PDB file of all heavy atoms in Angstrom:
ATOM      1  N   GLY A   1       8.288 172.675  76.404  1.00 98.00           N
ATOM      2  CA  GLY A   1       7.191 172.120  77.129  1.00 98.00           C
ATOM      3  C   GLY A   1       6.968 170.639  76.845  1.00 98.00           C
ATOM      4  O   GLY A   1       7.764 169.964  76.171  1.00 98.00           O
ATOM      5  N   SER A   2       5.872 170.126  77.361  1.00 98.00           N
ATOM      6  CA  SER A   2       5.584 168.675  77.341  1.00 98.00           C
ATOM      7  C   SER A   2       4.127 168.414  76.901  1.00 98.00           C
ATOM      8  O   SER A   2       3.223 169.182  77.172  1.00 98.00           O
ATOM      9  CB  SER A   2       5.775 168.004  78.718  1.00 98.00           C
ATOM     10  OG  SER A   2       7.133 168.157  79.142  1.00 98.00           O
ATOM     11  N   LEU A   3       3.946 167.283  76.324  1.00 98.00           N
ATOM     12  CA  LEU A   3       2.665 166.796  75.910  1.00 98.00           C
ATOM     13  C   LEU A   3       2.681 165.281  76.073  1.00 98.00           C
ATOM     14  O   LEU A   3       3.764 164.607  75.911  1.00 98.00           O
ATOM     15  CB  LEU A   3       2.282 167.096  74.462  1.00 98.00           C
ATOM     16  CG  LEU A   3       1.793 168.437  74.084  1.00 98.00           C
ATOM     17  CD1 LEU A   3       1.533 168.662  72.650  1.00 98.00           C
ATOM     18  CD2 LEU A   3       0.511 168.823  74.860  1.00 98.00           C
ATOM     19  N   ARG A   4       1.527 164.681  76.339  1.00 98.00           N
ATOM     20  CA  ARG A   4       1.327 163.228  76.420  1.00 98.00           C
ATOM     21  C   ARG A   4       0.261 162.824  75.510  1.00 98.00           C
ATOM     22  O   ARG A   4      -0.870 163.173  75.611  1.00 98.00           O
ATOM     23  CB  ARG A   4       1.035 162.818  77.844  1.00 98.00           C
ATOM     24  CG  ARG A   4       0.986 161.277  77.979  1.00 98.00           C
ATOM     25  CD  ARG A   4       0.398 160.864  79.312  1.00 98.00           C
ATOM     26  NE  ARG A   4       0.709 159.547  79.750  1.00 98.00           N
ATOM     27  CZ  ARG A   4      -0.019 158.769  80.523  1.00 98.00           C
ATOM     28  NH1 ARG A   4      -1.118 159.301  81.010  1.00 98.00           N
ATOM     29  NH2 ARG A   4       0.373 157.617  80.853  1.00 98.00           N
ATOM     30  N   LEU A   5       0.563 162.046  74.446  1.00 98.00           N
ATOM     31  CA  LEU A   5      -0.361 161.473  73.558  1.00 98.00           C
ATOM     32  C   LEU A   5      -0.747 160.070  74.005  1.00 98.00           C
ATOM     33  O   LEU A   5       0.000 159.343  74.676  1.00 98.00           O
ATOM     34  CB  LEU A   5       0.273 161.348  72.181  1.00 98.00           C
ATOM     35  CG  LEU A   5       0.911 162.595  71.562  1.00 98.00           C
ATOM     36  CD1 LEU A   5       1.345 162.269  70.181  1.00 98.00           C
ATOM     37  CD2 LEU A   5      -0.057 163.747  71.605  1.00 98.00           C
ATOM     38  N   SER A   6      -2.063 159.792  73.783  1.00 98.00           N
ATOM     39  CA  SER A   6      -2.607 158.474  74.123  1.00 98.00           C
ATOM     40  C   SER A   6      -3.180 157.896  72.768  1.00 98.00           C
ATOM     41  O   SER A   6      -3.603 158.650  71.920  1.00 98.00           O
ATOM     42  CB  SER A   6      -3.734 158.508  75.107  1.00 98.00           C
ATOM     43  OG  SER A   6      -3.189 159.098  76.328  1.00 98.00           O
ATOM     44  N   CYS A   7      -3.196 156.562  72.793  1.00 98.00           N
ATOM     45  CA  CYS A   7      -3.827 155.829  71.585  1.00 98.00           C
ATOM     46  C   CYS A   7      -4.588 154.644  72.126  1.00 98.00           C
ATOM     47  O   CYS A   7      -3.961 153.746  72.698  1.00 98.00           O
ATOM     48  CB  CYS A   7      -2.707 155.433  70.576  1.00 98.00           C
ATOM     49  SG  CYS A   7      -3.403 154.415  69.216  1.00 98.00           S
ATOM     50  N   ALA A   8      -5.875 154.687  71.969  1.00 98.00           N
ATOM     51  CA  ALA A   8      -6.721 153.635  72.472  1.00 98.00           C
ATOM     52  C   ALA A   8      -7.043 152.717  71.247  1.00 98.00           C
ATOM     53  O   ALA A   8      -7.470 153.158  70.203  1.00 98.00           O
ATOM     54  CB  ALA A   8      -8.013 154.118  72.989  1.00 98.00           C
ATOM     55  N   ALA A   9      -6.728 151.413  71.473  1.00 98.00           N
ATOM     56  CA  ALA A   9      -6.893 150.366  70.395  1.00 98.00           C
ATOM     57  C   ALA A   9      -8.028 149.444  70.683  1.00 98.00           C
ATOM     58  O   ALA A   9      -8.323 149.131  71.885  1.00 98.00           O
ATOM     59  CB  ALA A   9      -5.611 149.628  70.290  1.00 98.00           C
ATOM     60  N   SER A  10      -8.663 149.018  69.607  1.00 96.00           N
ATOM     61  CA  SER A  10      -9.702 148.008  69.724  1.00 96.00           C
ATOM     62  C   SER A  10      -9.742 147.134  68.464  1.00 96.00           C
ATOM     63  O   SER A  10      -9.181 147.594  67.454  1.00 96.00           O
ATOM     64  CB  SER A  10     -11.047 148.585  69.942  1.00 96.00           C
ATOM     65  OG  SER A  10     -11.319 149.417  68.855  1.00 96.00           O
ATOM     66  N   GLY A  11     -10.240 145.914  68.585  1.00 95.00           N
ATOM     67  CA  GLY A  11     -10.405 145.028  67.390  1.00 95.00           C
ATOM     68  C   GLY A  11      -9.445 143.843  67.277  1.00 95.00           C
ATOM     69  O   GLY A  11      -9.808 142.880  66.545  1.00 95.00           O
ATOM     70  N   ARG A  12      -8.300 143.904  67.883  1.00 95.00           N
ATOM     71  CA  ARG A  12      -7.479 142.762  67.985  1.00 95.00           C
ATOM     72  C   ARG A  12      -6.934 142.583  69.390  1.00 95.00           C
ATOM     73  O   ARG A  12      -6.978 143.578  70.151  1.00 95.00           O
ATOM     74  CB  ARG A  12      -6.271 142.918  67.027  1.00 95.00           C
ATOM     75  CG  ARG A  12      -6.564 142.855  65.550  1.00 95.00           C
ATOM     76  CD  ARG A  12      -5.417 142.635  64.546  1.00 95.00           C
ATOM     77  NE  ARG A  12      -4.432 143.626  64.626  1.00 95.00           N
ATOM     78  CZ  ARG A  12      -3.582 143.789  63.585  1.00 95.00           C
ATOM     79  NH1 ARG A  12      -3.664 142.981  62.609  1.00 95.00           N
ATOM     80  NH2 ARG A  12      -2.663 144.771  63.641  1.00 95.00           N
ATOM     81  N   THR A  13      -6.290 141.526  69.749  1.00 96.00           N
ATOM     82  CA  THR A  13      -5.737 141.372  71.012  1.00 96.00           C
ATOM     83  C   THR A  13      -4.539 142.262  71.164  1.00 96.00           C
ATOM     84  O   THR A  13      -3.515 141.935  70.580  1.00 96.00           O
ATOM     85  CB  THR A  13      -5.395 139.867  71.264  1.00 96.00           C
ATOM     86  OG1 THR A  13      -6.579 139.055  71.051  1.00 96.00           O
ATOM     87  CG2 THR A  13      -4.929 139.640  72.840  1.00 96.00           C
ATOM     88  N   PHE A  14      -4.720 143.295  71.838  1.00 97.00           N
ATOM     89  CA  PHE A  14      -3.739 144.380  71.876  1.00 97.00           C
ATOM     90  C   PHE A  14      -2.401 143.837  72.425  1.00 97.00           C
ATOM     91  O   PHE A  14      -1.340 144.269  71.821  1.00 97.00           O
ATOM     92  CB  PHE A  14      -4.233 145.432  72.896  1.00 97.00           C
ATOM     93  CG  PHE A  14      -3.346 146.659  72.987  1.00 97.00           C
ATOM     94  CD1 PHE A  14      -3.301 147.591  72.012  1.00 97.00           C
ATOM     95  CD2 PHE A  14      -2.663 146.897  74.180  1.00 97.00           C
ATOM     96  CE1 PHE A  14      -2.505 148.766  72.129  1.00 97.00           C
ATOM     97  CE2 PHE A  14      -1.840 147.932  74.368  1.00 97.00           C
ATOM     98  CZ  PHE A  14      -1.749 148.873  73.268  1.00 97.00           C
ATOM     99  N   SER A  15      -2.379 143.055  73.317  1.00 97.00           N
ATOM    100  CA  SER A  15      -1.141 142.553  73.940  1.00 97.00           C
ATOM    101  C   SER A  15      -0.320 141.628  73.047  1.00 97.00           C
ATOM    102  O   SER A  15       0.818 141.266  73.484  1.00 97.00           O
ATOM    103  CB  SER A  15      -1.409 141.853  75.275  1.00 97.00           C
ATOM    104  OG  SER A  15      -2.210 140.677  75.103  1.00 97.00           O
ATOM    105  N   GLU A  16      -0.806 141.331  71.859  1.00 97.00           N
ATOM    106  CA  GLU A  16      -0.053 140.517  70.937  1.00 97.00           C
ATOM    107  C   GLU A  16       0.718 141.215  69.895  1.00 97.00           C
ATOM    108  O   GLU A  16       1.466 140.596  69.106  1.00 97.00           O
ATOM    109  CB  GLU A  16      -1.052 139.531  70.237  1.00 97.00           C
ATOM    110  CG  GLU A  16      -1.689 138.568  71.229  1.00 97.00           C
ATOM    111  CD  GLU A  16      -2.751 137.700  70.419  1.00 97.00           C
ATOM    112  OE1 GLU A  16      -3.066 137.905  69.220  1.00 97.00           O
ATOM    113  OE2 GLU A  16      -3.212 136.710  71.097  1.00 97.00           O
ATOM    114  N   TYR A  17       0.556 142.615  69.874  1.00 98.00           N
ATOM    115  CA  TYR A  17       1.109 143.372  68.749  1.00 98.00           C
ATOM    116  C   TYR A  17       2.010 144.504  69.313  1.00 98.00           C
ATOM    117  O   TYR A  17       1.611 145.242  70.243  1.00 98.00           O
ATOM    118  CB  TYR A  17       0.018 143.952  67.932  1.00 98.00           C
ATOM    119  CG  TYR A  17      -0.834 142.968  67.180  1.00 98.00           C
ATOM    120  CD1 TYR A  17      -1.931 142.371  67.798  1.00 98.00           C
ATOM    121  CD2 TYR A  17      -0.488 142.573  65.969  1.00 98.00           C
ATOM    122  CE1 TYR A  17      -2.679 141.440  67.167  1.00 98.00           C
ATOM    123  CE2 TYR A  17      -1.275 141.614  65.267  1.00 98.00           C
ATOM    124  CZ  TYR A  17      -2.328 141.066  65.923  1.00 98.00           C
ATOM    125  OH  TYR A  17      -3.117 140.061  65.265  1.00 98.00           O
ATOM    126  N   ASP A  18       3.125 144.668  68.581  1.00 98.00           N
ATOM    127  CA  ASP A  18       3.966 145.872  68.722  1.00 98.00           C
ATOM    128  C   ASP A  18       3.107 147.108  68.377  1.00 98.00           C
ATOM    129  O   ASP A  18       2.172 147.090  67.537  1.00 98.00           O
ATOM    130  CB  ASP A  18       5.138 145.897  67.894  1.00 98.00           C
ATOM    131  CG  ASP A  18       6.014 144.709  68.045  1.00 98.00           C
ATOM    132  OD1 ASP A  18       6.013 144.083  69.157  1.00 98.00           O
ATOM    133  OD2 ASP A  18       6.920 144.450  67.228  1.00 98.00           O
ATOM    134  N   MET A  19       3.498 148.199  68.943  1.00 98.00           N
ATOM    135  CA  MET A  19       2.780 149.456  68.642  1.00 98.00           C
ATOM    136  C   MET A  19       3.841 150.504  68.291  1.00 98.00           C
ATOM    137  O   MET A  19       4.929 150.410  68.798  1.00 98.00           O
ATOM    138  CB  MET A  19       1.941 149.934  69.803  1.00 98.00           C
ATOM    139  CG  MET A  19       0.749 149.120  70.144  1.00 98.00           C
ATOM    140  SD  MET A  19      -0.412 148.910  68.864  1.00 98.00           S
ATOM    141  CE  MET A  19      -1.080 150.593  68.873  1.00 98.00           C
ATOM    142  N   GLY A  20       3.494 151.474  67.482  1.00 98.00           N
ATOM    143  CA  GLY A  20       4.380 152.529  67.034  1.00 98.00           C
ATOM    144  C   GLY A  20       3.711 153.892  66.910  1.00 98.00           C
ATOM    145  O   GLY A  20       2.549 153.999  66.917  1.00 98.00           O
ATOM    146  N   TRP A  21       4.585 154.867  66.920  1.00 98.00           N
ATOM    147  CA  TRP A  21       4.246 156.262  66.635  1.00 98.00           C
ATOM    148  C   TRP A  21       5.047 156.703  65.464  1.00 98.00           C
ATOM    149  O   TRP A  21       6.312 156.583  65.402  1.00 98.00           O
ATOM    150  CB  TRP A  21       4.361 157.229  67.761  1.00 98.00           C
ATOM    151  CG  TRP A  21       3.587 156.947  68.923  1.00 98.00           C
ATOM    152  CD1 TRP A  21       3.738 156.148  70.094  1.00 98.00           C
ATOM    153  CD2 TRP A  21       2.239 157.510  69.169  1.00 98.00           C
ATOM    154  NE1 TRP A  21       2.629 156.239  70.969  1.00 98.00           N
ATOM    155  CE2 TRP A  21       1.689 157.051  70.336  1.00 98.00           C
ATOM    156  CE3 TRP A  21       1.445 158.465  68.426  1.00 98.00           C
ATOM    157  CZ2 TRP A  21       0.458 157.486  70.843  1.00 98.00           C
ATOM    158  CZ3 TRP A  21       0.205 158.843  68.933  1.00 98.00           C
ATOM    159  CH2 TRP A  21      -0.273 158.331  70.111  1.00 98.00           C
ATOM    160  N   PHE A  22       4.438 157.344  64.535  1.00 98.00           N
ATOM    161  CA  PHE A  22       5.005 158.018  63.346  1.00 98.00           C
ATOM    162  C   PHE A  22       4.496 159.481  63.379  1.00 98.00           C
ATOM    163  O   PHE A  22       3.564 159.801  64.002  1.00 98.00           O
ATOM    164  CB  PHE A  22       4.647 157.376  62.076  1.00 98.00           C
ATOM    165  CG  PHE A  22       5.365 156.068  61.839  1.00 98.00           C
ATOM    166  CD1 PHE A  22       5.122 154.877  62.537  1.00 98.00           C
ATOM    167  CD2 PHE A  22       6.298 155.856  60.792  1.00 98.00           C
ATOM    168  CE1 PHE A  22       5.727 153.684  62.344  1.00 98.00           C
ATOM    169  CE2 PHE A  22       6.953 154.764  60.532  1.00 98.00           C
ATOM    170  CZ  PHE A  22       6.632 153.573  61.289  1.00 98.00           C
ATOM    171  N   ARG A  23       5.174 160.334  62.595  1.00 98.00           N
ATOM    172  CA  ARG A  23       4.761 161.730  62.523  1.00 98.00           C
ATOM    173  C   ARG A  23       5.017 162.172  61.081  1.00 98.00           C
ATOM    174  O   ARG A  23       5.795 161.686  60.428  1.00 98.00           O
ATOM    175  CB  ARG A  23       5.431 162.524  63.526  1.00 98.00           C
ATOM    176  CG  ARG A  23       6.928 162.797  63.245  1.00 98.00           C
ATOM    177  CD  ARG A  23       7.580 163.570  64.476  1.00 98.00           C
ATOM    178  NE  ARG A  23       9.017 163.827  64.209  1.00 98.00           N
ATOM    179  CZ  ARG A  23       9.775 164.353  65.144  1.00 98.00           C
ATOM    180  NH1 ARG A  23       9.289 164.703  66.318  1.00 98.00           N
ATOM    181  NH2 ARG A  23      11.040 164.520  64.913  1.00 98.00           N
ATOM    182  N   GLN A  24       4.200 163.173  60.680  1.00 98.00           N
ATOM    183  CA  GLN A  24       4.312 163.776  59.363  1.00 98.00           C
ATOM    184  C   GLN A  24       4.154 165.291  59.519  1.00 98.00           C
ATOM    185  O   GLN A  24       3.056 165.773  59.906  1.00 98.00           O
ATOM    186  CB  GLN A  24       3.209 163.209  58.427  1.00 98.00           C
ATOM    187  CG  GLN A  24       3.438 163.562  56.954  1.00 98.00           C
ATOM    188  CD  GLN A  24       2.702 162.771  55.982  1.00 98.00           C
ATOM    189  OE1 GLN A  24       1.701 162.100  56.366  1.00 98.00           O
ATOM    190  NE2 GLN A  24       3.109 162.851  54.705  1.00 98.00           N
ATOM    191  N   ALA A  25       5.253 165.951  59.103  1.00 96.00           N
ATOM    192  CA  ALA A  25       5.107 167.497  59.083  1.00 96.00           C
ATOM    193  C   ALA A  25       4.663 167.943  57.649  1.00 96.00           C
ATOM    194  O   ALA A  25       4.853 167.121  56.725  1.00 96.00           O
ATOM    195  CB  ALA A  25       6.594 168.013  59.365  1.00 96.00           C
ATOM    196  N   PRO A  26       4.186 169.108  57.652  1.00 91.00           N
ATOM    197  CA  PRO A  26       3.725 169.571  56.278  1.00 91.00           C
ATOM    198  C   PRO A  26       4.815 169.523  55.216  1.00 91.00           C
ATOM    199  O   PRO A  26       5.919 169.948  55.402  1.00 91.00           O
ATOM    200  CB  PRO A  26       3.331 171.029  56.477  1.00 91.00           C
ATOM    201  CG  PRO A  26       2.989 171.045  58.004  1.00 91.00           C
ATOM    202  CD  PRO A  26       3.900 170.051  58.630  1.00 91.00           C
ATOM    203  N   GLY A  27       4.514 168.966  54.022  1.00 94.00           N
ATOM    204  CA  GLY A  27       5.446 168.875  53.015  1.00 94.00           C
ATOM    205  C   GLY A  27       6.500 167.831  53.133  1.00 94.00           C
ATOM    206  O   GLY A  27       7.446 167.752  52.289  1.00 94.00           O
ATOM    207  N   LYS A  28       6.445 167.085  54.224  1.00 96.00           N
ATOM    208  CA  LYS A  28       7.435 166.043  54.362  1.00 96.00           C
ATOM    209  C   LYS A  28       6.871 164.604  54.442  1.00 96.00           C
ATOM    210  O   LYS A  28       5.671 164.456  54.576  1.00 96.00           O
ATOM    211  CB  LYS A  28       8.152 166.235  55.698  1.00 96.00           C
ATOM    212  CG  LYS A  28       8.903 167.538  55.683  1.00 96.00           C
ATOM    213  CD  LYS A  28       9.840 167.757  56.962  1.00 96.00           C
ATOM    214  CE  LYS A  28      10.699 168.961  56.916  1.00 96.00           C
ATOM    215  NZ  LYS A  28      11.532 169.101  58.059  1.00 96.00           N
ATOM    216  N   GLU A  29       7.728 163.624  54.338  1.00 96.00           N
ATOM    217  CA  GLU A  29       7.190 162.248  54.339  1.00 96.00           C
ATOM    218  C   GLU A  29       6.978 161.895  55.812  1.00 96.00           C
ATOM    219  O   GLU A  29       7.576 162.456  56.762  1.00 96.00           O
ATOM    220  CB  GLU A  29       8.279 161.243  53.720  1.00 96.00           C
ATOM    221  CG  GLU A  29       8.430 161.444  52.248  1.00 96.00           C
ATOM    222  CD  GLU A  29       9.317 160.449  51.690  1.00 96.00           C
ATOM    223  OE1 GLU A  29       9.966 159.623  52.395  1.00 96.00           O
ATOM    224  OE2 GLU A  29       9.456 160.446  50.407  1.00 96.00           O
ATOM    225  N   ARG A  30       6.082 160.840  55.927  1.00 97.00           N
ATOM    226  CA  ARG A  30       5.911 160.292  57.279  1.00 97.00           C
ATOM    227  C   ARG A  30       7.213 159.646  57.812  1.00 97.00           C
ATOM    228  O   ARG A  30       7.832 158.910  57.060  1.00 97.00           O
ATOM    229  CB  ARG A  30       4.719 159.297  57.261  1.00 97.00           C
ATOM    230  CG  ARG A  30       4.277 158.830  58.569  1.00 97.00           C
ATOM    231  CD  ARG A  30       3.039 157.973  58.419  1.00 97.00           C
ATOM    232  NE  ARG A  30       1.926 158.758  57.858  1.00 97.00           N
ATOM    233  CZ  ARG A  30       0.600 158.210  57.794  1.00 97.00           C
ATOM    234  NH1 ARG A  30       0.357 157.009  58.252  1.00 97.00           N
ATOM    235  NH2 ARG A  30      -0.311 158.970  57.293  1.00 97.00           N
ATOM    236  N   GLN A  31       7.431 159.860  59.073  1.00 98.00           N
ATOM    237  CA  GLN A  31       8.695 159.375  59.625  1.00 98.00           C
ATOM    238  C   GLN A  31       8.462 158.608  60.958  1.00 98.00           C
ATOM    239  O   GLN A  31       7.560 158.939  61.732  1.00 98.00           O
ATOM    240  CB  GLN A  31       9.775 160.473  59.791  1.00 98.00           C
ATOM    241  CG  GLN A  31       9.468 161.478  60.788  1.00 98.00           C
ATOM    242  CD  GLN A  31      10.473 162.484  61.115  1.00 98.00           C
ATOM    243  OE1 GLN A  31      10.460 163.281  62.043  1.00 98.00           O
ATOM    244  NE2 GLN A  31      11.561 162.477  60.361  1.00 98.00           N
ATOM    245  N   PHE A  32       9.286 157.718  61.110  1.00 98.00           N
ATOM    246  CA  PHE A  32       9.161 156.833  62.434  1.00 98.00           C
ATOM    247  C   PHE A  32       9.642 157.686  63.585  1.00 98.00           C
ATOM    248  O   PHE A  32      10.601 158.477  63.572  1.00 98.00           O
ATOM    249  CB  PHE A  32      10.137 155.684  62.280  1.00 98.00           C
ATOM    250  CG  PHE A  32      10.390 154.847  63.482  1.00 98.00           C
ATOM    251  CD1 PHE A  32       9.399 154.001  63.943  1.00 98.00           C
ATOM    252  CD2 PHE A  32      11.531 155.063  64.289  1.00 98.00           C
ATOM    253  CE1 PHE A  32       9.532 153.248  65.140  1.00 98.00           C
ATOM    254  CE2 PHE A  32      11.675 154.296  65.420  1.00 98.00           C
ATOM    255  CZ  PHE A  32      10.716 153.368  65.898  1.00 98.00           C
ATOM    256  N   VAL A  33       8.913 157.506  64.736  1.00 98.00           N
ATOM    257  CA  VAL A  33       9.231 158.233  65.971  1.00 98.00           C
ATOM    258  C   VAL A  33       9.781 157.190  66.993  1.00 98.00           C
ATOM    259  O   VAL A  33      10.790 157.304  67.511  1.00 98.00           O
ATOM    260  CB  VAL A  33       8.015 158.990  66.497  1.00 98.00           C
ATOM    261  CG1 VAL A  33       8.402 159.584  67.829  1.00 98.00           C
ATOM    262  CG2 VAL A  33       7.626 160.083  65.508  1.00 98.00           C
ATOM    263  N   THR A  34       8.915 156.164  67.277  1.00 98.00           N
ATOM    264  CA  THR A  34       9.195 155.232  68.269  1.00 98.00           C
ATOM    265  C   THR A  34       8.331 153.969  68.176  1.00 98.00           C
ATOM    266  O   THR A  34       7.276 154.062  67.554  1.00 98.00           O
ATOM    267  CB  THR A  34       9.033 155.879  69.710  1.00 98.00           C
ATOM    268  OG1 THR A  34       9.446 154.935  70.677  1.00 98.00           O
ATOM    269  CG2 THR A  34       7.637 156.333  69.882  1.00 98.00           C
ATOM    270  N   ALA A  35       8.730 152.838  68.784  1.00 98.00           N
ATOM    271  CA  ALA A  35       7.911 151.663  68.892  1.00 98.00           C
ATOM    272  C   ALA A  35       8.190 150.976  70.128  1.00 98.00           C
ATOM    273  O   ALA A  35       9.210 151.099  70.766  1.00 98.00           O
ATOM    274  CB  ALA A  35       8.237 150.754  67.637  1.00 98.00           C
ATOM    275  N   ILE A  36       7.162 150.106  70.528  1.00 98.00           N
ATOM    276  CA  ILE A  36       7.303 149.304  71.740  1.00 98.00           C
ATOM    277  C   ILE A  36       6.784 147.917  71.400  1.00 98.00           C
ATOM    278  O   ILE A  36       5.845 147.732  70.680  1.00 98.00           O
ATOM    279  CB  ILE A  36       6.430 150.032  72.850  1.00 98.00           C
ATOM    280  CG1 ILE A  36       6.678 149.272  74.224  1.00 98.00           C
ATOM    281  CG2 ILE A  36       4.941 150.017  72.524  1.00 98.00           C
ATOM    282  CD1 ILE A  36       6.240 150.087  75.415  1.00 98.00           C
ATOM    283  N   SER A  37       7.484 146.980  72.001  1.00 98.00           N
ATOM    284  CA  SER A  37       7.144 145.544  71.795  1.00 98.00           C
ATOM    285  C   SER A  37       5.779 145.236  72.337  1.00 98.00           C
ATOM    286  O   SER A  37       5.243 145.899  73.249  1.00 98.00           O
ATOM    287  CB  SER A  37       8.229 144.669  72.364  1.00 98.00           C
ATOM    288  OG  SER A  37       8.319 144.857  73.729  1.00 98.00           O
TER     289      SER A  37
END
């Protein structure tokens, strides 16, 4: 199946910063998923 996650940002000029997604499964370290410039 499919899911779409969203992340709403505030507090800094959003368009100036790269954004990323990480994930953490139970008992595991946080791991990189993806990033966008």
Side-chain angles (χ1 to χ4, degrees):
S2 298
L3 281 175
R4 188 194 197 202
L5 306 184
S6 299
C7 172
S10 62
R12 292 197 295 203
T13 305
F14 182 74
S15 60
E16 296 178 349
Y17 295 88
D18 301 342
M19 298 295 295
W21 289 93
F22 284 69
R23 67 186 181 186
Q24 188 167 19
K28 295 189 176 181
E29 293 186 353
R30 190 172 297 188
Q31 65 174 190
F32 171 77
V33 176
T34 181
I36 188 167
S37 63

